[in-house]
Amino acid sequence: MSVHCHAPRDVRPSIAIVGAGAIGTVMADALAVSAEVILCRRNRAEPMSLQIDGERRVVDAAIASTASGLDPVDWVVIATKAQDTAALGEWLDPLIGDETCVVILQNGIGHAERIARWVPEDRIVPGIVYLVAEKTGRDLVVCRDAIGIALPNTALAQSFATLVGETVPVRLTEDFAAEAWSKLIMNVALNPLTTLTDRTMEVTADPALRPVVQALLSEGVTVAEAEGVRMSQDAASTLLAHLDRLPRDGSTSMQLDRRNGRPLEYRFLTGAILSAAERHAVSVPHLRTIHGLLGALTA
């Protein structure tokens, strides 16, 4: 079945972005070039500002501080953490109509499953975000590197890609499963270590922890292959090289969540790979230890 989730050519499409954190703010700014954007941020009506390369600007988006009075839109972009998705009903119920399409920009895998109660899979576009940005104030996001987002190469994803401005490059991939798993594996090697040590991304180069990083990457690749995901022969080395290119002074979202007393999304990162490992009886001792430490940290 063909699905079209866009307004007529002479009308700017309407897009609601649920979640005004780093990802939501950057995407709101990028989409405001070609669409009427509503940025949904609970209990706060002030606009968001974005700083890139020292330049600061107010994001050109309407603000919805409550879901009251909202109507269905052409597109909904979910930019919250994965663990917050189940609680989004108050926003998604009024925003999603019979023709609304949903883009999910979250870490992890199984994007569509998390919102199956609101919208059928043929109107869902999962997305993988490569973005070095953080919310440094209540109304400010600093973006250090907008590498872009990866989407599956479908007609629906192509329609959304045409709306995204030049700030955020969009890459359409033929093998989204490999893309999602690659990002998940990198997250599992990076986010927990920055969180447990409260160090920036330079922690992956620490000689004492480098073997742990390599082991986590290797275990993740083995599990992905057991799941039937096509990974390259040198996937673990390639992912390590990617981690080494990240800004050394950057923080991860999980690390910032710990600092600010927010729930950690580890169940959707280490937990996702651990569940798959158990399904296929794959041994992942390093991953299991890291997952247990994160669980103890949040107990």
Side-chain angles (χ1 to χ4, degrees):
M1 181 176 65
S2 178
V3 178
H4 302 280
C5 296
H6 53 77
R9 290 185 179 181
D10 58 342
V11 178
R12 281 163 60 93
S14 56
I15 302 177
I17 298 179
V18 182
I23 293 173
T25 299
V26 172
M27 290 305 300
D29 182 75
L31 289 164
V33 174
S34 57
E36 298 299 326
V37 177
I38 302 170
L39 187 55
C40 303
R41 53 180 318 204
R42 192 186 307 276
N43 300 326
R44 189 159 177 80
E46 284 72 18
M48 289 298 299
S49 293
L50 179 65
Q51 182 174 311
I52 302 178
D53 295 331
E55 255 185 55
R56 181 169 173 171
R57 60 176 176 265
V58 176
V59 176
D60 185 18
I63 301 295
S65 58
T66 74
S68 177
L70 291 177
D71 295 314
V73 293
D74 297 313
W75 293 89
V76 169
V77 176
I78 297 178
T80 63
K81 296 291 176 58
Q83 71 268 18
D84 297 324
T85 309
L88 295 181
E90 65 176 291
W91 297 103
L92 300 184
D93 287 342
L95 288 170
I96 295 178
D98 293 338
E99 298 183 359
T100 303
C101 293
V102 179
V103 179
I104 310 175
L105 301 180
Q106 292 179 335
N107 288 326
I109 53 179
H111 295 70
E113 298 169 9
R114 295 197 277 274
I115 63 165
R117 57 182 281 201
W118 289 287
V119 64
E121 189 171 357
D122 64 354
R123 287 195 275 135
I124 296 173
V125 178
I128 301 298
V129 181
Y130 299 93
L131 182 70
V132 182
E134 62 182 272
K135 194 172 184 179
T136 59
R138 294 183 72 184
D139 308 315
L140 176 64
V141 166
V142 176
C143 182
R144 294 185 173 86
D145 194 355
I147 303 169
I149 59 176
L151 306 174
N153 191 12
T154 64
L156 195 57
Q158 291 168 13
S159 295
F160 180 75
T162 63
L163 301 175
V164 182
E166 296 180 358
T167 304
V168 180
V170 178
R171 177 167 50 86
L172 299 172
T173 175
E174 299 294 341
D175 192 348
F176 186 77
E179 188 84 38
W181 269 90
S182 295
K183 177 67 184 301
L184 173 62
I185 293 166
M186 286 190 291
N187 278 334
V188 162
L190 177 64
N191 292 22
L193 291 183
T194 58
T195 303
L196 291 166
T197 63
D198 198 23
R199 290 168 60 179
T200 61
M201 294 180 186
E202 53 77 28
V203 72
T204 60
D206 187 324
L209 293 174
R210 189 75 167 182
V212 178
V213 176
Q214 293 170 317
L216 289 170
L217 292 173
S218 180
E219 290 177 3
V221 169
T222 299
V223 175
E225 291 173 337
E227 279 279 279
V229 179
R230 294 192 301 269
M231 305 294 288
S232 65
Q233 188 172 5
D234 60 347
S237 298
T238 300
L239 297 178
L240 181 62
H242 184 85
L243 291 180
D244 287 341
R245 290 193 295 269
L246 295 174
R248 298 293 83 191
D249 61 347
S251 300
T252 65
S253 59
M254 184 184 288
Q255 178 186 12
L256 296 175
D257 284 343
R258 183 196 174 186
R259 286 181 183 175
N260 291 285
R262 295 189 291 260
L264 306 183
E265 64 175 340
Y266 75 101
R267 290 186 178 87
F268 295 88
L269 300 182
T270 54
I273 298 184
L274 187 58
S275 294
E278 291 172 345
R279 284 197 299 272
H280 300 285
V282 175
S283 176
V284 286
H286 292 83
L287 176 69
R288 191 175 297 278
T289 298
I290 292 295
H291 184 77
L293 288 171
L294 292 170
L297 191 65
T298 60

